[in-house]
Amino acid sequence: MSATGNLTAEIEVLFSAEERNTELREEVRVGLTSTPKELQPKWFYDERGSELFETITRLPVYYLTRAERSILERHAGEIAAMTDATTLIELGSGTSDKTRILLDALAPRRFVPFDVSEVTLRASAQRLAREYPDLEVLAVVGDFEHHLPLLPTNGRRLLAFLGSTIGNLPPRRRALFLTDVAATLEDGDAFLLGVDLVKTPARLVAAYDDPAGVTREFNLNVLRVLNRELGGDFDVSAFEHVARWNAEAEWMEMFVRSLREQTVRLNALELEVAFDAGERMLTEISAKFHLRRLAIELETAGLAVQRWWTDDAGDFAVLLASATQGSAKPRKSGTSCSTRPAWADMS
Ligand code: AVJ
C-alpha cells in the first residue's frame, strides 16, 4: 500500500491519433462504397457522441445500464471473492461509471481503463485517480479488436467487458475477439462479460428509439464526425434515424436513412457518395443473447463460464469466465517479452 496518494492517472496510447485517422479513412471508404453502405459503431464516440451515450444510459426506456448496475451491486462481493484480482482492466470503459461498484468490492491495486475515445478516457481516468488515491490508474487508449495482447500482465487480472458492447460485433468478429480474450488470460485471470438478453421486440425497439430523440441524435452524430474529421458535407437534416429488430440475426440494427436522393462529398477521401431517396446506411448492430448459446460460444473460444447472474426481470446478464483448463497460459515469471511496452510487466 502506498502512503502517498497517487492523484494523477498515467495514459498509454496504443491507438494514436494518426493510426485512428488512418483506420477511420480506410473503414469509411470501404463502408461508404459497399452495398449496402455501413459505418463502424466505434466512430460514434467523439466527445459529443460519448456525452449522448451517457444521456442514453439514463433514459427510462434504456433498461440495459440500470439492469447491469443492479446485478453488479448485488453480486460484486461474490465476483471479488471468486476472482481475487489485484488488477481490474475494463475494456470500453467510457466514463467508468459502473466500474466504481467493482472497484469498491475488489479494492484492486491497479485499474486499467481501456477505450478508443481518448478525451473521455483521460477525463474519467483523472477523476478516478483523484477519487481513489491509493489506486494506480493506468489508462490505455486502444481498440479491443487489436490491442488485447498489449495489456499489462502482472498480478491476477479481472478483464471486464460490460454494457453489452460485445453486441456491436457480428458473429465472426465476436468469435475472434473471444478467442483473443482466452489467449490473453493467464492462469488465475478472469473475464467478466455483460450482455443484453433476447426479449420482446417492442421493448428492444423502444430502447433504441426513445421518445426524447437522444438515440436519434446519437446516431446522426456520426455524420457530424465524418464532416469534421474527413471534410464531409453531410446535411444531417436530410437523414433520419431508423432502429429495427432483425429477428433472424437476433440483433438490433440502427441505420441513418437518406430522406432524398443526394450526393455527399468527403474531401479528405476525395470521394463522392450517392444516396438514393430512402436508402439506409447501417451504423450499428447490437446483438442480443441467449445465455446457454452464449456459454457454448465462450467455450468454443476457450472460455469456461464459472457463474452468471441476471437482474430480477431477466433482461440482462453478467457472466464470469476463465480460460479453459489447458488453454490458460502459465503466469509469466520475471522476464518480459520484447513486444510488450515496458509498463506491461511493471508492478
Ligand atoms: C454501448 C454498444 C452497448 O448497443 O446498446 C445505445 C450503444 N446504441 N443506443 C448498445 C447504443 C444505441 C450501446 N452499446
Side-chain angles (χ1 to χ4, degrees):
M1 230 190 272
S2 68
T4 51
N6 210 359
L7 295 177
T8 55
E10 201 181 321
I11 313 261
E12 185 77 20
V13 180
L14 301 175
F15 194 38
S16 68
E18 203 184 323
E19 284 168 303
R20 181 186 170 284
N21 284 343
T22 306
E23 199 170 313
L24 174 70
R25 279 159 197 258
E26 284 170 5
E27 289 190 2
V28 171
R29 180 185 297 281
V30 170
L32 290 183
T33 55
S34 306
T35 313
K37 297 181 179 67
E38 67 169 320
L39 294 172
Q40 295 300 317
K42 75 176 141 202
W43 308 119
F44 282 136
Y45 299 94
D46 66 344
E47 210 172 347
R48 172 138 179 80
S50 298
E51 277 168 23
L52 285 164
F53 176 65
E54 271 306 299
T55 308
I56 288 173
T57 64
R58 291 190 292 269
L59 293 170
V61 286
Y62 196 77
Y63 59 86
L64 291 82
T65 313
R66 269 185 306 281
E68 186 175 56
R69 183 177 295 119
S70 80
I71 297 169
L72 293 176
E73 273 166 358
R74 192 175 297 180
H75 303 290
E78 207 176 332
I79 293 165
M82 286 179 77
T83 56
D84 200 23
T86 54
T87 295
L88 172 64
I89 301 174
E90 189 183 12
L91 304 179
S93 64
T95 55
S96 303
D97 217 25
K98 286 161 293 184
T99 318
R100 286 175 179 75
I101 306 166
L102 285 177
L103 286 175
D104 293 340
L106 270 175
R109 271 206 301 275
R110 181 163 57 169
F111 176 51
V112 182
F114 178 104
D115 205 278
V116 269
S117 174
E118 185 168 348
V119 215
T120 311
L121 191 66
R122 273 182 193 278
S124 62
Q126 242 11 296
R127 207 174 328 110
L128 277 169
R130 259 178 239 123
E131 257 176 71
Y132 295 82
D134 289 330
L135 185 69
E136 183 191 338
V137 179
L138 173 59
V140 179
V141 181
D143 179 336
F144 55 71
E145 287 187 274
H146 297 310
H147 298 126
L148 291 193
L150 300 176
L151 289 170
T153 53
N154 58 315
R156 259 174 193 269
R157 299 172 304 163
L158 175 60
L159 187 62
F161 193 35
L162 301 174
S164 205
T165 302
I166 194 170
N168 278 170
L169 303 178
R172 245 182 52 86
R173 275 164 63 197
R174 189 164 76 219
L176 288 173
F177 168 76
L178 290 171
T179 307
D180 251 22
V181 168
T184 298
L185 296 186
E186 296 183 357
D187 209 15
D189 290 344
F191 179 50
L192 189 69
L193 179 65
V195 291
D196 195 15
L197 302 175
V198 171
K199 55 184 60 64
T200 59
R203 286 191 60 213
L204 287 166
V205 171
Y208 291 82
D209 198 2
D210 64 281
V214 185
T215 310
R216 170 185 180 279
E217 274 307 302
F218 172 74
N219 190 12
L220 292 172
N221 180 62
V222 76
L223 302 181
R224 295 197 179 91
V225 171
L226 301 195
N227 281 350
R228 190 184 59 238
E229 308 241 344
L230 298 175
D233 66 353
F234 277 99
D235 172 2
V236 178
S237 69
F239 290 85
E240 65 178 353
H241 166 67
V242 177
R244 72 170 190 197
W245 171 243
N246 182 327
E248 226 170 293
E250 294 191 308
W251 59 50
M252 283 299 302
E253 296 173 338
M254 293 208 316
F255 302 89
V256 295
R257 179 161 56 198
S258 177
L259 292 169
R260 50 176 160 84
E261 191 181 320
Q262 55 184 319
T263 301
V264 174
R265 197 185 314 273
L266 289 149
N267 282 330
L269 300 182
E270 293 178 26
L271 183 69
E272 280 197 0
V273 186
F275 285 85
D276 292 332
E279 183 178 345
R280 283 185 306 240
M281 171 160 70
L282 182 70
T283 50
E284 178 174 54
I285 64 161
S286 190
K288 308 302 167 187
F289 299 89
H290 296 280
L291 271 174
R292 258 194 267 145
R293 239 182 269 165
L294 180 62
I296 294 168
E297 251 187 66
L298 292 182
E299 209 150 298
T300 307
L303 293 164
V305 177
Q306 276 155 356
R307 272 215 75 160
W308 50 263
W309 302 268
T310 66
D311 60 316
D312 287 334
D315 285 337
F316 201 94
V318 172
L319 296 84
L320 186 68
S322 58
T324 317
Q325 276 223 317
S327 87
K329 289 164 304 310
R331 296 211 145 267
K332 266 203 226 53
S333 53
T335 53
S336 67
C337 160
S338 61
T339 58
R340 285 172 194 284
W343 48 262
D345 295 286
M346 285 180 348
S347 63

